[in-house]
Amino acid sequence: MPKGLVTMAVALVAVSVFSVLARAQDVPRQPGAVYDMDRKGENPAPAPKRDLTGVWEPAQGPSAGVQATGAGAMPSDGKPEHELPFTPLGRETFLAHKPTFGVTQVPSALTNDPMPGCNPQGFPRVVLHNFRTSRIVQTPENVVILYEFNKKWRVIWTDGRRLPKNPTEPTWGDPDPPESRWWGYSVGKWVDDYTFVAESTGFDDRTWLDNAGRPHSDALHVMEQYHRPDRDHLEMTITVDDPKMYTKPWVAAKLRLRLQAPSFDIREMECAPIETEEYNKEFAEPAAGIDAK
Amino acid sequence: MENLRMRNRFMAFLVATLGLLMVSTPVSAHHGSAAFDAGKQVVMKGTVIRWVWANPHCFLSYDVKDETGNATHWVVETSNPPDMINRGWSKETFKPGDEVTVTVQPVKSGKPVGRLLQVVLPNGKTLRYASAFTGPGN
């Protein structure tokens, strides 16, 4: 190889190494958190049986749970393999939505996203948009998940009750047909010593499934699976079924989580209307070319 | 002939490597990218007016003076506080009056607003938020 090319090759390798190192230093990480990249070659202890308790963080880094362009397993990026199995109503509803990310994105001041302004994102959007550090608490009657994003929580009942399909089912404390909820109704059970599954229905159809404007109806049925392969990891899988909007169920997210120390304190991430209002006035409206009134 | 083949092979390697170096990291902010002029960057020196550390996104406002002394007031956004902490930023990163050099991806509307890509602080330290090619890095 000519001498000049050798010099160039050496320089290129040096630039590449430097770039990789620079990128590594730029990798976002939450102070105090432990990620898989910190424990290469580890041999985790076996998982405890029927136990999800603890603080869980996306194992590949905090960015892994942030799904700006839509549900992590099916982002709205125009790729054929990420085309959702829309029904005609589903496609029509999707196209009527104006998200701020994805193939149908608009400037944030022009969106009809139901979440800005601190409105409830509901479930499953909390896990299909911004799955951040979360604490799981288990009691004999339920599994409670405390989410960092907008400081929200859910209760998954494990006391044997059924989903409130039956109008005479009194378990939920109300003999009438259940009113729809932003966060739905959830029940769960262990299918083996290391796998917990939950089902949720009864959703308010004003929310979106994700940040890219994927729709759902009042027929939405969400399935969650939490598989604990070892002490330090939890594999979360979210499957969406909504026969009004989609012709078949689809896996919306698969996320590997890592257990954090018992002392790990989840930060506050609250949506405050007073802050949102200022952001819109100072930034979002000028960004969209909207003049101040 | 052999040299030419080697050179072509090397150029292919060079192009492929540079391509890999530009591979994007996923965007993450929950407010979108549609307003921004993708790929465009503006570098300017300014005086900090406010650093608003708040949800949904933190933003920096600063004045940039032209040769005649007229100031343009810029507002540039970053991401939410937790994501900025993850990247080494804090509520104390700026104080009013700081002289900073800011690299911005401006918006298409022509208003003096944009997305903050990088800033050089008065002490010479550089903080990055996003690449113009890839959007927010967290």
Side-chain angles (χ1 to χ4, degrees), chain B residues 65-134:
Chain B
K65 284 187 180 166
D66 62 19
E67 303 80 24
T68 61
N70 293 323
T72 302
H73 185 67
W74 277 81
V75 178
V76 295
E77 73 158 353
T78 60
S79 189
N80 55 68
D83 284 352
M84 298 313 289
I85 291 170
N86 293 349
R87 304 185 74 78
W89 299 57
S90 82
K91 191 176 183 177
E92 314 300 328
T93 295
F94 305 98
K95 61 180 188 302
D98 279 355
E99 300 291 330
V100 291
T101 302
V102 190
T103 305
V104 169
Q105 183 180 52
V107 293
K108 297 171 189 164
S109 73
K111 303 275 185 186
V113 289
R115 171 187 283 155
L116 194 157
L117 305 176
Q118 170 178 303
V119 64
V120 182
L121 302 175
N123 63 8
K125 185 178 179 183
T126 299
L127 286 174
R128 276 180 286 277
Y129 163 54
S131 144
F133 300 106
T134 63

Side-chain angles (χ1 to χ4, degrees), chain A residues 156-225:
Chain A
I156 300 169
W157 288 95
T158 55
D159 60 357
R161 74 180 67 190
R162 294 170 292 169
L163 285 168
K165 293 174 186 167
N166 180 352
T168 61
E169 168 64 68
T171 319
W172 295 90
D174 187 344
D176 295 323
E179 62 180 16
S180 59
R181 290 179 174 178
W182 299 105
W183 298 83
Y185 296 77
S186 303
V187 297
K189 64 181 179 186
W190 291 91
V191 293
D192 61 45
D193 284 343
Y194 307 104
T195 309
F196 179 79
V197 295
E199 291 183 83
S200 302
T201 57
F203 294 102
D204 188 310
D205 62 5
R206 286 176 290 177
T207 59
W208 291 357
L209 282 182
D210 65 10
N211 203 41
R214 269 68 173 271
H216 73 81
S217 73
D218 58 0
L220 174 64
H221 177 205
V222 181
M223 289 151 283
E224 294 165 271
Q225 177 175 288

Side-chain angles (χ1 to χ4, degrees), chain A residues 23, chain B residues 19-27 133-135:
Chain A
R23 262 173 199 273
Chain B
L20 279 174
L21 290 175
M22 289 171 67
V23 164
S24 63
T25 49
V27 293
F133 300 106
T134 63

Side-chain angles (χ1 to χ4, degrees), chain A residues 82 184 232 267:
Chain A
H82 296 152
D232 294 339
R267 300 177 297 196

